[in-house]
Amino acid sequence: MEFIVSGSTDGCGSSNVCTLASLENLNHLGGYLCISGLGNVVDFCEAKKAELKKKKNLLHVDLFFNSNKEEGRTNEEDKFLLEALQPPSNLEQLKIAQYRGNTLSPSWLIPLTKLRRPTLSYCENCERLPPLGRLPSLEYLSVNNMSGLKRVGDEFLGIESDVASSSSSSSLIVAFPKLKYLKFESLDEWEEWDTTTRRREDEEDVVTIMPCLRNLTIDFCIELKALPDYIVRKTTLEELNINLCSKLKERYERGIGEDWSKISHIPNVNIESTLRPAYESQRDSFYSE
């Protein structure tokens, strides 16, 4: 089901354009729900009235913060709205697009223990990724068009506080325990991807990161300098695709890159300066399984 927000406050303006309050009593909704036009919301109390969290049969929700108005909202307004749009706890797929906040960590995100496929798209003001490594069921992750993102570190893994608290413990921390497919695309300002707090004083690993990762794709990330150690030494990785990433291409180019030896154990490595035709036709269906 697609639901288009009009921005008016007098109920439904047409047969397919309504306010969020119109969703209040539709607790029978199931399967897929796409809410677009969230940039048109005038009364933020309407978002709470939608009561998405009560719609227990919803498994897939898309939230598009686009608008038909010339003036955009502030970062704080989008953050308030996203927080109010809490989905049901059994959600499996979630897409957040065109969100204008500079942080993307609503309180309800990490408690979504059944979430398998999140997509973050055109959240151009976001400077940090949420701690998605804490999601126990996550299998597919796509992040694209976040021009405010310059660094990805421990905050993405969700391990910052856990590493500190486990320094005297023998238990290991697992970040992204079920992640199989990871894709980054069109992150224009992204320069660094690394983690800094992975070892104890005795040099034993504190964290296990992405133990099931099979496919990594990085497209149009022209400023990214290097892959983190936990990626290049990963023995489970079956396919690595790097497309239109000039600095990565120079560093990892087959046979001649200074760090080619670090990824040469991966069975399928594709590093291109242009998109291959076959890949170009398939990339939009990367998460269609």
Side-chain angles (χ1 to χ4, degrees), residues 11 25 38 45 52 54 58 73 83 89 97 146 159 179 197 208 216 251 287:
N25 297 317
L38 286 168
C45 291
L52 296 185
K54 290 186 177 182
L58 283 177
R73 289 202 311 274
E83 182 66 36
S89 59
M146 294 177 63
I159 64 174
L179 184 66
T197 53
T208 298
L216 171 64
R251 188 173 190 125
Y287 296 99

Coordinates of all heavy atoms in Angstrom, one line a residue, residues 11 25 38 45 52 54 58 73 83 89 97 146 159 179 197 208 216 251 287:
G11 N -8.2 16.1 7.1 CA -8.5 14.7 6.7 C -8.0 14.5 5.3 O -7.1 15.1 4.8
N25 N -6.7 4.3 12.6 CA -7.5 3.1 12.9 C -7.4 2.0 12.0 O -8.1 1.0 12.0 CB -9.0 3.5 13.0 CG -9.3 4.5 14.1 OD1 -8.8 4.4 15.2 ND2 -10.1 5.6 13.8
L38 N 6.3 12.9 3.3 CA 6.5 13.3 4.7 C 7.0 14.7 4.9 O 6.8 15.3 6.0 CB 7.4 12.3 5.5 CG 6.8 10.9 5.7 CD1 7.8 9.9 6.2 CD2 5.6 11.0 6.8
C45 N 1.9 16.2 15.4 CA 1.1 15.3 16.3 C 0.4 14.2 15.5 O 0.0 13.2 16.0 CB 0.0 16.1 17.1 SG 0.8 17.2 18.4
L52 N 1.8 3.7 13.9 CA 2.3 2.6 13.1 C 2.7 1.4 14.0 O 2.6 0.2 13.6 CB 3.6 3.0 12.3 CG 3.3 4.1 11.3 CD1 4.6 4.3 10.5 CD2 2.2 3.7 10.3
K54 N 1.3 0.0 16.3 CA 0.1 -0.9 16.6 C -0.3 -1.8 15.4 O -1.1 -2.7 15.5 CB -1.1 -0.1 17.0 CG -0.9 0.5 18.4 CD -2.2 1.2 18.8 CE -2.1 1.8 20.2 NZ -3.3 2.4 20.7
L58 N 2.4 -5.4 9.7 CA 3.3 -4.7 8.8 C 4.7 -5.4 8.9 O 5.2 -5.5 10.0 CB 3.4 -3.2 9.0 CG 2.2 -2.3 8.5 CD1 2.5 -0.9 9.0 CD2 2.1 -2.4 7.0
R73 N 12.0 21.6 5.5 CA 11.9 21.7 7.0 C 13.3 21.7 7.6 O 14.3 21.4 6.9 CB 11.1 20.6 7.5 CG 9.6 20.7 7.3 CD 8.8 19.9 8.3 NE 9.4 18.5 8.4 CZ 9.0 17.5 7.6 NH1 8.1 17.7 6.6 NH2 9.5 16.4 7.7
E83 N 11.1 10.1 14.8 CA 10.9 9.5 16.1 C 9.4 9.1 16.3 O 9.1 8.0 16.9 CB 11.4 10.4 17.2 CG 11.3 9.9 18.6 CD 12.2 8.7 18.9 OE1 13.3 8.7 18.3 OE2 11.8 7.8 19.6
S89 N 7.3 -3.7 16.2 CA 8.5 -4.3 16.6 C 8.9 -5.5 15.8 O 10.1 -5.9 15.8 CB 8.4 -4.8 18.1 OG 7.3 -5.7 18.2
A97 N 14.3 7.5 3.3 CA 14.8 8.2 2.2 C 14.5 9.7 2.3 O 13.4 10.1 2.8 CB 14.2 7.6 0.8
M146 N 24.6 9.8 0.8 CA 24.7 10.5 2.1 C 25.9 11.4 2.0 O 27.0 11.0 2.4 CB 24.7 9.5 3.2 CG 23.5 8.7 3.4 SD 23.5 7.5 4.8 CE 23.8 8.5 6.2
I159 N 29.7 -0.7 18.9 CA 30.5 -1.4 19.9 C 31.2 -0.4 20.8 O 32.0 -0.9 21.7 CB 31.6 -2.3 19.2 CG1 32.5 -1.4 18.4 CG2 30.9 -3.3 18.3 CD1 33.7 -2.1 17.8
L179 N 24.9 -10.4 8.9 CA 25.0 -9.6 7.7 C 25.7 -10.4 6.6 O 26.8 -10.9 6.8 CB 25.8 -8.3 8.0 CG 25.9 -7.4 6.8 CD1 24.5 -6.8 6.4 CD2 26.8 -6.2 7.1
T197 N 38.8 0.5 18.3 CA 38.8 -0.1 19.6 C 38.5 -1.6 19.5 O 37.4 -2.0 19.9 CB 37.8 0.6 20.6 OG1 36.6 0.6 19.9 CG2 38.3 2.0 20.9
T208 N 34.1 -9.5 17.2 CA 33.9 -10.3 15.9 C 33.0 -9.4 15.1 O 31.9 -9.1 15.5 CB 33.3 -11.7 16.2 OG1 34.3 -12.4 17.0 CG2 33.1 -12.4 14.8
L216 N 30.4 -7.6 -0.7 CA 30.5 -6.2 -0.5 C 30.6 -5.5 -1.8 O 31.5 -5.8 -2.6 CB 31.8 -6.0 0.4 CG 32.2 -4.5 0.5 CD1 31.2 -3.7 1.3 CD2 33.6 -4.4 1.2
R251 N 44.7 1.5 -5.0 CA 45.2 0.8 -3.9 C 45.1 -0.7 -4.0 O 46.0 -1.5 -3.6 CB 44.5 1.2 -2.6 CG 45.2 0.7 -1.3 CD 44.6 1.3 -0.1 NE 45.3 1.0 1.1 CZ 45.8 1.8 1.9 NH1 45.7 3.1 1.7 NH2 46.5 1.5 3.0
Y287 N 19.1 -6.2 -3.9 CA 18.4 -6.7 -2.7 C 17.1 -7.3 -3.0 O 16.2 -7.2 -2.2 CB 18.3 -5.6 -1.6 CG 19.7 -5.1 -1.2 CD1 20.2 -4.0 -1.7 CD2 20.3 -5.8 -0.2 CE1 21.5 -3.6 -1.2 CE2 21.6 -5.4 0.3 CZ 22.1 -4.3 -0.3 OH 23.4 -3.9 0.2

